[in-house]
Structure formats: C-alpha cells, structure tokens
Coordinates of all heavy atoms in Angstrom, one line a residue:
T1 N 25.8 103.8 5.2 CA 26.9 103.5 6.1 C 28.0 104.5 5.9 O 28.0 105.3 4.9 CB 27.4 102.1 5.8 OG1 27.9 102.0 4.5 CG2 26.3 101.0 6.0
K2 N 29.0 104.5 6.8 CA 30.1 105.4 6.7 C 31.0 105.2 5.5 O 31.4 106.2 4.9 CB 30.9 105.3 8.0 CG 31.9 106.4 8.2 CD 32.5 106.3 9.6 CE 33.5 107.5 9.8 NZ 34.1 107.4 11.1
K3 N 31.1 104.0 5.2 CA 32.0 103.6 4.0 C 31.4 104.2 2.7 O 32.1 104.7 1.9 CB 32.2 102.1 3.9 CG 33.2 101.7 2.9 CD 33.4 100.1 3.0 CE 34.4 99.7 2.1 NZ 34.6 98.2 2.2
M4 N 30.1 104.0 2.6 CA 29.4 104.5 1.4 C 29.4 106.0 1.4 O 29.5 106.7 0.3 CB 27.9 104.0 1.3 CG 27.8 102.5 1.0 SD 26.1 101.9 1.0 CE 25.5 102.8 -0.4
A5 N 29.3 106.7 2.5 CA 29.3 108.1 2.6 C 30.7 108.7 2.2 O 30.8 109.6 1.4 CB 29.0 108.6 4.0
L6 N 31.7 108.0 2.6 CA 33.1 108.4 2.2 C 33.3 108.2 0.7 O 33.9 109.0 0.0 CB 34.1 107.6 3.0 CG 34.3 108.0 4.4 CD1 35.2 107.1 5.2 CD2 34.8 109.5 4.5
A7 N 32.8 107.1 0.2 CA 32.9 106.8 -1.3 C 32.2 107.9 -2.1 O 32.7 108.4 -3.1 CB 32.4 105.4 -1.6
Y8 N 31.0 108.3 -1.6 CA 30.2 109.3 -2.3 C 30.9 110.6 -2.2 O 30.9 111.4 -3.2 CB 28.8 109.4 -1.8 CG 28.0 110.5 -2.5 CD1 27.6 110.3 -3.9 CD2 27.8 111.7 -1.9 CE1 27.0 111.3 -4.5 CE2 27.1 112.7 -2.6 CZ 26.7 112.5 -3.9 OH 26.1 113.5 -4.6
A9 N 31.5 111.0 -1.1 CA 32.2 112.2 -0.9 C 33.4 112.3 -1.8 O 33.6 113.3 -2.5 CB 32.6 112.4 0.5
F10 N 34.1 111.2 -2.0 CA 35.2 111.2 -2.9 C 34.7 111.3 -4.3 O 35.3 112.1 -5.1 CB 36.0 109.9 -2.7 CG 37.1 109.7 -3.7 CD1 38.3 110.5 -3.6 CD2 37.0 108.9 -4.8 CE1 39.3 110.3 -4.5 CE2 38.1 108.7 -5.7 CZ 39.2 109.5 -5.5
Y11 N 33.7 110.6 -4.7 CA 33.1 110.7 -6.0 C 32.6 112.1 -6.3 O 32.9 112.7 -7.4 CB 31.9 109.7 -6.1 CG 31.0 110.0 -7.3 CD1 31.3 109.7 -8.6 CD2 29.7 110.6 -7.1 CE1 30.4 110.0 -9.6 CE2 28.9 110.9 -8.1 CZ 29.2 110.6 -9.4 OH 28.4 110.8 -10.4
A12 N 31.9 112.8 -5.4 CA 31.4 114.1 -5.6 C 32.5 115.1 -5.7 O 32.5 116.0 -6.6 CB 30.5 114.5 -4.5
A13 N 33.5 115.0 -4.9 CA 34.6 115.9 -4.9 C 35.4 115.8 -6.3 O 35.8 116.8 -6.9 CB 35.6 115.7 -3.8
L14 N 35.6 114.6 -6.7 CA 36.3 114.4 -7.9 C 35.4 114.8 -9.1 O 35.9 115.5 -10.0 CB 36.7 112.9 -8.1 CG 37.5 112.5 -9.2 CD1 38.9 113.1 -9.1 CD2 37.6 111.0 -9.3
T15 N 34.2 114.5 -9.2 CA 33.3 114.7 -10.3 C 32.9 116.2 -10.4 O 32.9 116.7 -11.5 CB 32.1 113.8 -10.2 OG1 32.5 112.5 -10.2 CG2 31.2 114.0 -11.4
F16 N 32.5 116.8 -9.3 CA 31.9 118.1 -9.4 C 32.9 119.2 -9.3 O 32.6 120.4 -9.6 CB 30.9 118.3 -8.3 CG 29.7 117.3 -8.4 CD1 29.3 116.6 -7.3 CD2 29.1 117.1 -9.6 CE1 28.3 115.7 -7.4 CE2 28.1 116.2 -9.7 CZ 27.7 115.5 -8.6
T17 N 34.1 119.0 -8.8 CA 35.1 120.1 -8.6 C 36.4 119.9 -9.4 O 36.7 120.7 -10.3 CB 35.4 120.3 -7.1 OG1 35.9 119.1 -6.6 CG2 34.2 120.7 -6.3
F18 N 37.1 118.8 -9.1 CA 38.4 118.7 -9.7 C 38.4 118.4 -11.2 O 39.1 119.1 -11.9 CB 39.2 117.6 -9.0 CG 40.5 117.3 -9.5 CD1 41.5 118.3 -9.3 CD2 40.8 116.2 -10.3 CE1 42.8 118.1 -9.9 CE2 42.1 116.1 -10.9 CZ 43.1 117.0 -10.7
L19 N 37.7 117.4 -11.7 CA 37.7 117.1 -13.1 C 37.3 118.2 -14.0 O 38.0 118.4 -15.0 CB 36.9 115.8 -13.3 CG 37.6 114.5 -12.9 CD1 36.7 113.3 -13.2 CD2 38.9 114.3 -13.6
P20 N 36.2 118.9 -13.8 CA 35.8 119.9 -14.7 C 36.8 121.0 -14.8 O 37.2 121.5 -15.9 CB 34.5 120.5 -14.2 CG 33.9 119.3 -13.4 CD 35.1 118.6 -12.8
Y21 N 37.4 121.5 -13.6 CA 38.3 122.5 -13.7 C 39.7 122.1 -14.3 O 40.3 122.8 -15.0 CB 38.6 123.1 -12.3 CG 37.3 123.8 -11.7 CD1 36.7 123.4 -10.6 CD2 36.8 124.9 -12.4 CE1 35.6 124.1 -10.1 CE2 35.7 125.6 -11.9 CZ 35.1 125.1 -10.8 OH 34.0 125.8 -10.3
A22 N 40.1 120.9 -14.0 CA 41.3 120.4 -14.5 C 41.2 120.3 -16.1 O 42.1 120.6 -16.8 CB 41.7 119.1 -13.9
T23 N 40.1 119.8 -16.5 CA 39.9 119.6 -17.9 C 39.8 121.0 -18.7 O 40.4 121.1 -19.7 CB 38.6 118.8 -18.2 OG1 38.6 117.6 -17.5 CG2 38.4 118.6 -19.7
T24 N 39.2 121.9 -18.0 CA 39.1 123.3 -18.6 C 40.5 123.9 -18.7 O 40.9 124.5 -19.7 CB 38.2 124.2 -17.8 OG1 36.9 123.6 -17.8 CG2 38.1 125.6 -18.4
C25 N 41.3 123.7 -17.7 CA 42.7 124.2 -17.7 C 43.5 123.6 -18.8 O 44.2 124.2 -19.5 CB 43.3 124.0 -16.4 SG 42.7 125.1 -15.1
L26 N 43.4 122.2 -18.9 CA 44.1 121.6 -20.0 C 43.7 122.0 -21.4 O 44.5 122.2 -22.3 CB 44.0 120.0 -19.9 CG 44.7 119.4 -18.7 CD1 44.3 117.9 -18.6 CD2 46.2 119.5 -18.9
V27 N 42.4 122.2 -21.6 CA 41.9 122.6 -22.9 C 42.3 124.0 -23.2 O 42.7 124.3 -24.3 CB 40.3 122.5 -22.9 CG1 39.7 123.2 -24.1 CG2 39.9 121.0 -23.0
L28 N 42.3 124.9 -22.2 CA 42.7 126.3 -22.4 C 44.2 126.3 -22.7 O 44.7 127.1 -23.6 CB 42.4 127.1 -21.3 CG 40.9 127.5 -21.1 CD1 40.7 128.3 -19.8 CD2 40.5 128.4 -22.3
Y29 N 45.0 125.5 -22.0 CA 46.4 125.4 -22.3 C 46.7 124.9 -23.7 O 47.5 125.6 -24.5 CB 47.1 124.5 -21.3 CG 48.6 124.3 -21.6 CD1 49.5 125.3 -21.3 CD2 49.0 123.1 -22.1 CE1 50.9 125.1 -21.6 CE2 50.3 122.9 -22.4 CZ 51.3 123.9 -22.2 OH 52.6 123.6 -22.5
Y30 N 46.2 123.8 -24.0 CA 46.4 123.2 -25.4 C 45.8 124.1 -26.5 O 46.4 124.3 -27.5 CB 45.9 121.8 -25.4 CG 46.3 121.1 -26.7 CD1 47.6 120.7 -26.9 CD2 45.3 120.7 -27.6 CE1 48.0 120.1 -28.1 CE2 45.7 120.1 -28.8 CZ 47.0 119.8 -29.0 OH 47.3 119.1 -30.2
G31 N 44.6 124.6 -26.2 CA 44.0 125.5 -27.2 C 44.8 126.8 -27.4 O 44.9 127.3 -28.5
G32 N 45.3 127.3 -26.3 CA 46.2 128.5 -26.4 C 47.4 128.2 -27.3 O 47.9 129.0 -28.1
K33 N 48.0 127.0 -27.0 CA 49.2 126.6 -27.8 C 48.8 126.5 -29.3 O 49.6 127.0 -30.2 CB 49.7 125.3 -27.3 CG 50.9 124.7 -27.9 CD 51.3 123.4 -27.3 CE 52.4 122.8 -28.1 NZ 52.7 121.5 -27.6
L34 N 47.7 125.9 -29.6 CA 47.3 125.7 -31.0 C 46.9 127.1 -31.6 O 47.2 127.3 -32.8 CB 46.0 124.8 -31.1 CG 46.3 123.3 -30.8 CD1 44.9 122.6 -30.9 CD2 47.3 122.8 -31.8
S35 N 46.4 128.0 -30.8 CA 46.1 129.3 -31.3 C 47.3 130.1 -31.6 O 47.4 130.9 -32.6 CB 45.2 130.1 -30.3 OG 44.9 131.3 -30.7
R36 N 48.3 130.0 -30.8 CA 49.6 130.7 -31.1 C 50.3 130.2 -32.3 O 50.9 130.9 -33.0 CB 50.6 130.5 -29.9 CG 50.4 131.5 -28.8 CD 51.6 131.3 -27.8 NE 51.7 129.9 -27.6 CZ 52.3 129.4 -26.6 NH1 52.9 130.2 -25.7 NH2 52.4 128.1 -26.4
E37 N 50.1 128.9 -32.6 CA 50.7 128.3 -33.8 C 49.8 128.4 -35.0 O 50.0 127.9 -36.1 CB 50.9 126.8 -33.6 CG 52.0 126.5 -32.5 CD 52.0 125.1 -32.0 OE1 51.2 124.3 -32.5 OE2 52.9 124.8 -31.2
N38 N 48.7 129.2 -34.9 CA 47.7 129.5 -36.0 C 47.1 128.2 -36.6 O 46.8 128.2 -37.7 CB 48.4 130.3 -37.1 CG 48.7 131.7 -36.6 OD1 47.9 132.3 -35.8 ND2 49.8 132.3 -37.1
Q39 N 46.9 127.2 -35.7 CA 46.2 126.0 -36.2 C 44.7 126.2 -36.0 O 43.9 125.5 -36.7 CB 46.8 124.8 -35.5 CG 48.2 124.5 -35.9 CD 48.7 123.2 -35.2 OE1 48.0 122.5 -34.5 NE2 50.0 122.9 -35.5
I40 N 44.3 127.0 -35.0 CA 42.9 127.3 -34.8 C 42.9 128.8 -34.4 O 43.9 129.4 -34.0 CB 42.2 126.5 -33.6 CG1 42.9 126.8 -32.3 CG2 42.2 125.0 -33.9 CD1 42.2 126.2 -31.1
N41 N 41.7 129.4 -34.6 CA 41.6 130.8 -34.2 C 41.0 130.9 -32.8 O 40.5 129.9 -32.3 CB 40.9 131.7 -35.2 CG 39.4 131.2 -35.4 OD1 38.8 130.7 -34.5 ND2 38.9 131.5 -36.6
S42 N 41.1 132.0 -32.2 CA 40.6 132.2 -30.8 C 39.1 132.0 -30.7 O 38.6 131.5 -29.6 CB 41.0 133.5 -30.2 OG 40.5 134.6 -31.0
G43 N 38.4 132.3 -31.7 CA 36.9 132.1 -31.6 C 36.5 130.7 -31.6 O 35.6 130.3 -30.9
E44 N 37.3 129.8 -32.3 CA 37.0 128.4 -32.2 C 37.3 127.8 -30.8 O 36.6 127.0 -30.3 CB 37.8 127.6 -33.2 CG 37.4 127.9 -34.7 CD 38.4 127.4 -35.7 OE1 39.6 127.2 -35.4 OE2 37.9 127.1 -36.8
L45 N 38.4 128.4 -30.2 CA 38.7 127.9 -28.8 C 37.7 128.3 -27.8 O 37.2 127.5 -27.0 CB 40.1 128.5 -28.4 CG 40.6 128.2 -27.0 CD1 40.7 126.7 -26.8 CD2 41.9 128.9 -26.7
V46 N 37.2 129.6 -27.9 CA 36.1 130.0 -27.0 C 34.9 129.2 -27.2 O 34.2 128.8 -26.3 CB 35.9 131.5 -27.2 CG1 34.7 132.0 -26.5 CG2 37.1 132.3 -26.8
S47 N 34.5 129.0 -28.5 CA 33.3 128.2 -28.7 C 33.4 126.8 -28.1 O 32.5 126.2 -27.5 CB 33.1 128.0 -30.2 OG 32.7 129.3 -30.8
F48 N 34.6 126.2 -28.3 CA 34.8 124.8 -27.8 C 34.7 124.8 -26.3 O 34.1 123.9 -25.7 CB 36.2 124.3 -28.2 CG 36.4 122.9 -27.8 CD1 35.8 121.8 -28.4 CD2 37.2 122.6 -26.7 CE1 36.0 120.5 -28.0 CE2 37.4 121.3 -26.2 CZ 36.8 120.2 -26.9
V49 N 35.3 125.8 -25.6 CA 35.2 125.9 -24.1 C 33.8 126.0 -23.7 O 33.4 125.4 -22.7 CB 36.1 127.0 -23.6 CG1 35.9 127.3 -22.1 CG2 37.6 126.7 -23.8
F50 N 33.0 126.9 -24.4 CA 31.6 127.0 -24.0 C 30.8 125.7 -24.2 O 30.0 125.3 -23.3 CB 30.9 128.1 -24.8 CG 31.3 129.5 -24.4 CD1 31.3 130.5 -25.3 CD2 31.6 129.8 -23.0 CE1 31.6 131.8 -24.8 CE2 32.0 131.0 -22.6 CZ 32.0 132.1 -23.5
Y51 N 31.0 125.0 -25.3 CA 30.4 123.7 -25.5 C 30.8 122.7 -24.4 O 30.0 121.9 -23.9 CB 30.7 123.1 -26.9 CG 30.1 123.8 -28.0 CD1 30.8 124.1 -29.1 CD2 28.7 124.1 -28.0 CE1 30.2 124.8 -30.2 CE2 28.1 124.8 -29.0 CZ 28.8 125.1 -30.1 OH 28.2 125.7 -31.2
M52 N 32.1 122.7 -24.0 CA 32.6 121.8 -23.0 C 31.9 122.1 -21.7 O 31.5 121.2 -20.9 CB 34.1 122.0 -22.9 CG 34.7 121.0 -22.0 SD 36.5 121.2 -21.9 CE 36.7 122.8 -21.2
Q53 N 31.8 123.4 -21.3 CA 31.1 123.8 -20.1 C 29.6 123.4 -20.1 O 29.1 123.0 -19.0 CB 31.3 125.3 -19.8 CG 32.7 125.6 -19.4 CD 32.9 127.1 -19.2 OE1 32.0 127.9 -19.6 NE2 34.0 127.5 -18.5
S54 N 29.0 123.4 -21.2 CA 27.6 123.0 -21.3 C 27.5 121.5 -21.1 O 26.6 121.0 -20.4 CB 27.1 123.3 -22.7 OG 25.8 122.8 -22.9
L55 N 28.5 120.7 -21.6 CA 28.5 119.3 -21.4 C 28.8 119.0 -19.9 O 28.1 118.1 -19.3 CB 29.7 118.7 -22.2 CG 29.8 117.2 -22.2 CD1 28.6 116.5 -22.8 CD2 31.1 116.7 -22.9
F56 N 29.7 119.7 -19.2 CA 29.9 119.5 -17.8 C 28.7 119.8 -17.0 O 28.4 119.1 -16.0 CB 31.1 120.4 -17.3 CG 32.4 119.9 -17.8 CD1 33.5 120.8 -17.8 CD2 32.6 118.6 -18.1 CE1 34.7 120.4 -18.2 CE2 33.9 118.2 -18.5 CZ 34.9 119.1 -18.6
A57 N 27.9 120.8 -17.4 CA 26.6 121.1 -16.7 C 25.7 119.9 -16.8 O 25.0 119.6 -15.8 CB 26.0 122.4 -17.2
A58 N 25.6 119.3 -18.0 CA 24.8 118.1 -18.1 C 25.2 117.0 -17.2 O 24.4 116.3 -16.6 CB 24.7 117.7 -19.6
F59 N 26.5 116.8 -17.2 CA 27.1 115.7 -16.3 C 26.8 116.0 -14.8 O 26.5 115.1 -14.0 CB 28.6 115.5 -16.5 CG 28.9 114.8 -17.8 CD1 30.1 115.1 -18.5 CD2 28.1 113.8 -18.2 CE1 30.4 114.4 -19.6 CE2 28.4 113.1 -19.4 CZ 29.6 113.4 -20.1
N60 N 26.9 117.3 -14.4 CA 26.5 117.6 -13.1 C 25.1 117.4 -12.8 O 24.7 116.9 -11.7 CB 26.8 119.1 -12.8 CG 28.3 119.3 -12.5 OD1 29.0 118.4 -12.1 ND2 28.8 120.5 -12.7
S61 N 24.2 117.6 -13.7 CA 22.8 117.3 -13.6 C 22.6 115.8 -13.4 O 21.8 115.4 -12.5 CB 22.0 117.8 -14.7 OG 22.0 119.2 -14.8
L62 N 23.3 115.0 -14.2 CA 23.1 113.6 -14.0 C 23.6 113.1 -12.6 O 23.0 112.3 -12.0 CB 23.9 112.9 -15.1 CG 23.3 112.9 -16.5 CD1 24.3 112.3 -17.5 CD2 22.0 112.2 -16.5
G63 N 24.7 113.8 -12.2 CA 25.2 113.4 -10.8 C 24.2 113.8 -9.8 O 24.0 113.1 -8.8
S64 N 23.5 114.9 -9.9 CA 22.5 115.3 -8.9 C 21.3 114.4 -9.0 O 20.8 114.0 -7.9 CB 22.0 116.7 -9.2 OG 23.1 117.6 -9.1
I65 N 21.0 113.9 -10.1 CA 19.9 112.9 -10.2 C 20.3 111.6 -9.6 O 19.5 111.0 -8.8 CB 19.5 112.7 -11.7 CG1 18.8 114.0 -12.3 CG2 18.6 111.5 -11.9 CD1 18.6 113.9 -13.8
Y66 N 21.5 111.2 -9.8 CA 22.0 110.0 -9.1 C 21.9 110.1 -7.6 O 21.5 109.2 -6.9 CB 23.4 109.7 -9.6 CG 24.0 108.5 -8.9 CD1 23.6 107.2 -9.1 CD2 25.0 108.7 -7.9 CE1 24.2 106.1 -8.5 CE2 25.6 107.6 -7.3 CZ 25.1 106.4 -7.5 OH 25.7 105.3 -6.9
A67 N 22.4 111.3 -7.1 CA 22.4 111.5 -5.7 C 20.9 111.5 -5.1 O 20.7 110.9 -4.0 CB 23.0 112.9 -5.3
G68 N 20.0 112.1 -5.9 CA 18.6 112.0 -5.4 C 18.0 110.6 -5.4 O 17.3 110.3 -4.5
L69 N 18.4 109.8 -6.4 CA 18.0 108.4 -6.4 C 18.5 107.6 -5.2 O 17.8 106.8 -4.6 CB 18.4 107.8 -7.7 CG 17.6 108.2 -8.9 CD1 18.2 107.5 -10.2 CD2 16.1 107.8 -8.8
V70 N 19.8 107.9 -4.9 CA 20.4 107.2 -3.8 C 19.7 107.6 -2.5 O 19.4 106.7 -1.6 CB 21.9 107.5 -3.7 CG1 22.5 107.0 -2.4 CG2 22.6 106.8 -4.9
Q71 N 19.4 108.9 -2.3 CA 18.7 109.3 -1.1 C 17.3 108.7 -1.1 O 16.8 108.3 0.0 CB 18.6 110.8 -1.1 CG 19.9 111.5 -0.8 CD 19.8 113.0 -0.9 OE1 18.8 113.6 -1.4 NE2 20.8 113.7 -0.3
A72 N 16.6 108.6 -2.2 CA 15.3 108.0 -2.2 C 15.3 106.6 -1.9 O 14.5 106.1 -1.1 CB 14.6 108.2 -3.6
L73 N 16.3 105.9 -2.4 CA 16.5 104.4 -2.0 C 16.7 104.3 -0.5 O 16.2 103.3 0.1 CB 17.6 103.8 -2.9 CG 17.2 103.5 -4.3 CD1 18.5 103.0 -5.0 CD2 16.1 102.5 -4.4
G74 N 17.5 105.1 0.0 CA 17.8 105.1 1.5 C 16.6 105.3 2.3 O 16.3 104.7 3.3
A75 N 15.8 106.3 1.8 CA 14.5 106.6 2.5 C 13.5 105.4 2.4 O 12.8 105.1 3.4 CB 13.9 107.9 2.0
A76 N 13.4 104.9 1.2 CA 12.5 103.7 1.0 C 13.0 102.5 1.9 O 12.1 101.8 2.5 CB 12.5 103.3 -0.4
D77 N 14.2 102.3 2.0 CA 14.7 101.2 2.9 C 14.3 101.5 4.3 O 13.9 100.5 5.0 CB 16.3 101.1 2.7 CG 16.8 100.0 3.4 OD1 16.2 98.8 3.3 OD2 17.9 100.1 4.1
K78 N 14.4 102.7 4.7 CA 14.0 103.0 6.1 C 12.5 102.8 6.3 O 12.1 102.3 7.4 CB 14.4 104.5 6.4 CG 14.4 104.8 7.9 CD 15.4 104.1 8.6 CE 15.6 104.6 10.0 NZ 16.6 103.9 10.8
V79 N 11.7 103.2 5.3 CA 10.3 103.0 5.4 C 9.9 101.5 5.6 O 9.1 101.1 6.4 CB 9.6 103.7 4.2 CG1 8.1 103.2 4.1 CG2 9.6 105.2 4.3
F80 N 10.6 100.7 4.7 CA 10.3 99.3 4.8 C 10.8 98.7 6.1 O 10.2 97.7 6.6 CB 10.9 98.5 3.6 CG 10.1 98.8 2.3 CD1 10.6 99.4 1.3 CD2 8.8 98.3 2.2 CE1 9.9 99.6 0.1 CE2 8.0 98.5 1.1 CZ 8.6 99.2 0.0
E81 N 11.9 99.2 6.6 CA 12.3 98.8 7.9 C 11.3 99.1 9.0 O 11.0 98.2 9.9 CB 13.7 99.5 8.2 CG 14.3 99.1 9.5 CD 15.6 99.8 9.7 OE1 16.5 99.8 8.8 OE2 15.8 100.4 10.8
W82 N 10.7 100.2 8.9 CA 9.6 100.6 9.9 C 8.4 99.7 9.7 O 7.7 99.3 10.7 CB 9.3 102.0 9.8 CG 10.2 102.9 10.6 CD1 11.3 103.5 10.1 CD2 10.1 103.2 12.0 NE1 11.9 104.2 11.1 CE2 11.2 104.1 12.3 CE3 9.2 102.9 13.0 CZ2 11.4 104.6 13.5 CZ3 9.4 103.4 14.2 CH2 10.5 104.3 14.5
I83 N 8.0 99.4 8.5 CA 6.9 98.6 8.2 C 7.0 97.2 8.7 O 6.1 96.6 9.3 CB 6.5 98.6 6.7 CG1 6.0 100.0 6.3 CG2 5.5 97.5 6.3 CD1 5.9 100.1 4.7
N84 N 8.2 96.6 8.5 CA 8.5 95.2 8.9 C 8.9 95.0 10.3 O 9.3 93.9 10.7 CB 9.5 94.6 7.9 CG 9.0 94.6 6.5 OD1 7.8 94.4 6.3 ND2 9.8 94.8 5.5
R85 N 9.0 96.1 11.1 CA 9.5 95.9 12.5 C 8.5 95.1 13.3 O 7.3 95.1 13.1 CB 9.8 97.3 13.1 CG 8.6 98.1 13.4 CD 9.0 99.4 13.9 NE 7.8 100.3 14.0 CZ 7.0 100.5 15.0 NH1 7.2 99.7 16.1 NH2 6.0 101.3 14.9
K86 N 9.0 94.5 14.3 CA 8.2 93.8 15.3 C 7.8 94.8 16.4 O 8.6 95.5 16.9 CB 8.9 92.6 15.9 CG 9.4 91.6 14.9 CD 8.2 90.7 14.5 CE 8.8 89.6 13.6 NZ 7.9 89.3 12.5
P87 N 6.5 94.8 16.8 CA 6.1 95.7 17.9 C 6.7 95.3 19.2 O 6.8 94.1 19.5 CB 4.6 95.7 17.9 CG 4.2 94.5 17.1 CD 5.4 94.1 16.2
E88 N 7.1 96.3 20.0 CA 7.6 96.0 21.3 C 6.5 95.5 22.3 O 6.8 94.7 23.2 CB 8.3 97.2 21.9 CG 9.6 97.6 21.2 CD 10.3 98.8 21.7 OE1 9.9 99.3 22.8 OE2 11.2 99.2 21.1
I89 N 5.3 96.1 22.1 CA 4.2 95.7 23.0 C 3.3 94.8 22.1 O 2.8 95.3 21.1 CB 3.4 96.9 23.5 CG1 4.4 97.8 24.3 CG2 2.2 96.5 24.3 CD1 3.8 99.1 24.7
T90 N 3.0 93.6 22.6 CA 2.1 92.7 21.8 C 0.7 93.0 22.2 O 0.4 93.3 23.4 CB 2.5 91.3 22.1 OG1 2.3 91.0 23.5 CG2 3.8 90.9 21.6
P91 N -0.2 93.0 21.2 CA -1.6 93.3 21.5 C -2.2 92.1 22.3 O -1.8 91.0 22.1 CB -2.3 93.5 20.1 CG -1.3 92.8 19.2 CD 0.0 92.9 19.8
P92 N -3.2 92.3 23.1 CA -3.8 91.2 23.9 C -4.6 90.3 22.9 O -5.1 90.8 21.9 CB -4.7 91.9 24.9 CG -5.0 93.3 24.3 CD -3.8 93.6 23.5
D93 N -4.8 89.1 23.4 CA -5.5 88.1 22.5 C -7.0 88.5 22.5 O -7.6 88.3 21.4 CB -5.4 86.7 23.1 CG -3.9 86.2 22.9 OD1 -3.3 86.7 22.0 OD2 -3.5 85.4 23.7
N94 N -7.6 88.9 23.6 CA -9.0 89.3 23.6 C -9.1 90.7 24.0 O -9.3 91.0 25.2 CB -9.8 88.3 24.6 CG -9.8 86.9 24.1 OD1 -9.9 86.7 22.9 ND2 -9.6 86.0 25.1
P95 N -9.1 91.6 23.1 CA -9.2 93.0 23.5 C -10.6 93.4 24.0 O -11.6 92.8 23.5 CB -8.9 93.8 22.2 CG -9.1 92.9 21.1 CD -8.9 91.5 21.7
V96 N -10.7 94.3 24.9 CA -12.0 94.7 25.4 C -12.5 95.9 24.5 O -11.8 96.8 24.2 CB -11.8 95.3 26.9 CG1 -13.2 95.8 27.4 CG2 -11.3 94.2 27.8
N97 N -13.8 95.7 24.1 CA -14.3 96.8 23.2 C -14.8 97.9 24.0 O -15.5 98.2 24.8 CB -15.4 96.2 22.4 CG -14.8 95.2 21.3 OD1 -13.7 95.4 21.0 ND2 -15.6 94.3 20.8

C-alpha cells in the first residue's frame, strides 16, 4: 500500500543515508577533539572509523535482506491471491469431450 511504501522510504532514507553519515561526522568530530587533547592517537581514531564503517556495511546488508523478504512476502501474497480467485467464466456441468 501507499502508506507502507512511504514508511519504507522514510526508513530507508534514514537508515541507509542519514544515520551512517551523521554518526561518522560525530565520531570524527569527537575523535579529533580527543586526538588534539592527546587522549587518543590518530591511528586509533582511524582504526575506529574503519571498524565503524564495517559495522554500517553489515547493517546495510541486513536492511537489504529485510527489503528482499518484504518483496518476497508481497509476491507470495499476490500468488495466493491469483490461486484463490474465482474464475469469471464458469465451466459447463457436462463438458463435451
């Protein structure tokens, strides 16, 4: 339905674009601040950012799997709708061979 499509579009836009980039920006900002104060070195910050991006890639994969499952459920629903439909033309009681 249109409502579900809008909900998924909002979910996809938030999950696949905004949140990963916003989180990366926040981590780089805070990590840069910690690096300037000599609480961590720059190598630790870079390593953390790479690990974080790897984690985001895994979440994106899960989101793609979820989208595939939703599409499969929609297709299965359509198949069962076709299977259970009533024919428009009824077959004759005594067909001629």
Side-chain angles (χ1 to χ4, degrees):
T1 64
K2 190 174 184 178
K3 189 175 183 179
M4 288 179 66
L6 287 173
Y8 179 74
F10 178 73
Y11 161 77
L14 187 67
T15 303
F16 300 131
T17 55
F18 179 71
L19 283 179
Y21 292 121
T23 305
T24 302
C25 289
L26 287 172
V27 165
L28 286 173
Y29 172 76
Y30 187 67
K33 182 179 171 188
L34 291 177
S35 179
R36 272 189 316 198
E37 296 170 355
N38 291 325
Q39 293 182 3
I40 63 170
N41 62 29
S42 58
E44 292 171 335
L45 176 60
V46 170
S47 294
F48 184 79
V49 169
F50 285 151
Y51 288 135
M52 186 179 63
Q53 288 178 344
S54 176
L55 182 67
F56 287 155
F59 284 145
N60 280 339
S61 295
L62 287 175
S64 297
I65 291 169
Y66 174 74
L69 286 174
V70 168
Q71 287 177 346
L73 285 174
D77 187 44
K78 193 68 168 176
V79 167
F80 284 115
E81 184 179 306
W82 277 92
I83 290 173
N84 295 328
R85 69 183 170 90
K86 300 283 186 219
E88 292 179 8
I89 301 173
T90 57
D93 291 334
N94 295 322
V96 177
N97 290 336

